Amino acid sequence: MAMLSLRSPSSMPLISSSVSHRCSKPFSQLPSSPIASVPFTRLKSNYTSVSPIFRHRMFSSRAATGATDSIPDYREDIGEILGDVSIFTASGQRVQFSDLWDQNDGIAAVVLLRHFGCVCCWELATALKEAKPRFDAAGVKLIAVGVGTPDKARILATRLPFPMECLYADPERKAYDVLGLYYGLGRTFFNPASKKVFSRFKEIREATKNYTIKATPEDRSSVLQQGGTFVFRGKKLLYGRKDEGTGDHPSLDDVINICCKTAVA
């Protein structure tokens, strides 16, 4: 199947303004932040034409799962489309999403992190590692995907540490494109949802004791990518949440509860 790629329709005006802003302002004047964890030495846009990933009618499983976050408006076959996306294991082996969990009835929590050099990514990875026994007990496959090459994933896995068997690398951000996750300067630095990080400084400091900026992707445009969290049963999307800004992660308790309700449904 041909790869479908898009950035979220709701973020397209932001993308346009960000691109024009970048073209008109020297990179030395761009904001720096420990959240991005890298100087902006090179920024580029690789947007392609918008494909019809989204449906006109809202897809929502909130009634079944009790989720309180809004469910992105995805096509019902989004799981099948995502299944054709190829990414890499942390050890460097190319795999397809469809190979990562049972596509008939298996339950998977797919967490797309930001880039491997983001301190908020390290914080979320720490929380996922601590929650993994609960995912395992519920029979849920935990899949964490980050932006960067496999060698960058291994830096996080080694220094955090994080279980290599759960960690995957998406250097071209293919899965992020398919799922329409947010991207841009505004989302990364200025979105109000990012204020959550101010209440989690203790967790971030603890998670980044062995942090290194060397985990940041060589493609500096990748630091503007936001993440998201999704729950699938087979190919069916049951829950989806896009991070509105840097550090805007869902409650893992909520995600695990959704997985548990799905397992007994």
Side-chain angles (χ1 to χ4, degrees):
M1 180 182 294
M3 181 60 58
L4 297 176
S5 174
L6 91 158
R7 300 294 176 193
S8 171
S10 64
S11 67
M12 293 307 291
L14 171 62
I15 292 169
S16 299
S17 62
S18 297
V19 171
S20 61
H21 177 74
R22 294 199 297 263
C23 293
S24 62
K25 192 171 185 178
F27 292 125
S28 62
Q29 297 181 25
L30 289 172
S32 58
S33 168
I35 292 176
S37 306
V38 64
F40 285 86
T41 56
R42 177 167 61 90
L43 292 173
K44 66 180 181 180
S45 174
N46 61 349
Y47 301 113
T48 55
S49 59
V50 174
S51 301
I53 297 294
F54 295 91
R55 294 168 38 196
H56 295 296
R57 183 168 59 86
M58 177 65 72
F59 166 76
S60 175
S61 58
R62 279 177 292 179
T65 64
T68 57
D69 288 313
S70 60
I71 307 296
D73 188 12
Y74 289 112
R75 285 171 37 163
E76 289 184 348
D77 61 349
I78 186 63
E80 184 173 351
I81 296 171
L82 182 65
D84 287 335
V85 172
S86 61
I87 54 177
F88 295 90
T89 65
S91 60
Q93 179 184 1
R94 185 183 291 274
V95 293
Q96 287 188 294
F97 264 92
S98 59
D99 297 327
L100 300 185
W101 73 92
D102 177 5
Q103 294 291 286
N104 293 318
D105 202 40
I107 304 172
V110 180
V111 181
L112 283 84
L113 311 169
R114 295 189 68 244
H115 64 90
F116 291 117
C118 173
V119 296
C120 292
C121 171
W122 286 52
E123 178 219 0
L124 178 54
T126 298
L128 290 171
K129 178 184 68 173
E130 293 172 351
K132 187 177 183 300
R134 298 172 64 192
F135 283 108
D136 292 343
V140 177
K141 177 71 177 291
L142 176 61
I143 298 168
V145 183
V147 177
T149 50
D151 61 306
K152 303 297 186 181
R154 289 194 296 273
I155 291 175
L156 182 147
T158 301
R159 297 179 70 100
L160 193 59
F162 189 85
M164 287 264 290
E165 69 273 13
C166 297
L167 189 61
Y168 298 85
D170 187 2
E172 298 178 11
R173 293 177 284 144
K174 294 178 181 178
Y176 296 77
D177 285 347
V178 164
L179 293 167
L181 300 184
Y182 296 121
Y183 177 95
L185 280 171
R187 290 285 179 181
T188 301
F189 295 106
F190 309 117
N191 192 277
S194 296
K195 67 182 181 181
K196 292 181 180 179
V197 300
F198 294 111
S199 65
R200 303 200 308 267
F201 275 148
K202 180 179 179 181
E203 289 83 357
I204 292 174
R205 183 172 61 248
E206 182 67 21
T208 54
K209 289 188 298 185
N210 294 320
Y211 172 82
T212 174
I213 199 171
K214 293 180 180 179
T216 303
E218 298 300 327
D219 177 4
R220 297 301 195 247
S221 66
S222 296
V223 305
L224 301 181
Q225 180 66 61
Q226 298 301 319
T229 302
F230 302 84
V231 174
F232 289 90
R233 183 164 196 164
K235 298 177 182 179
K236 184 177 181 181
L237 176 64
L238 299 179
Y239 168 86
R241 183 187 185 279
K242 301 179 183 181
D243 294 348
E244 294 287 334
T246 301
D248 178 37
H249 311 145
S251 163
L252 290 185
D253 286 338
D254 288 345
V255 175
I256 292 171
N257 287 338
I258 290 166
C259 292
C260 290
K261 291 178 181 178
T262 298
V264 299

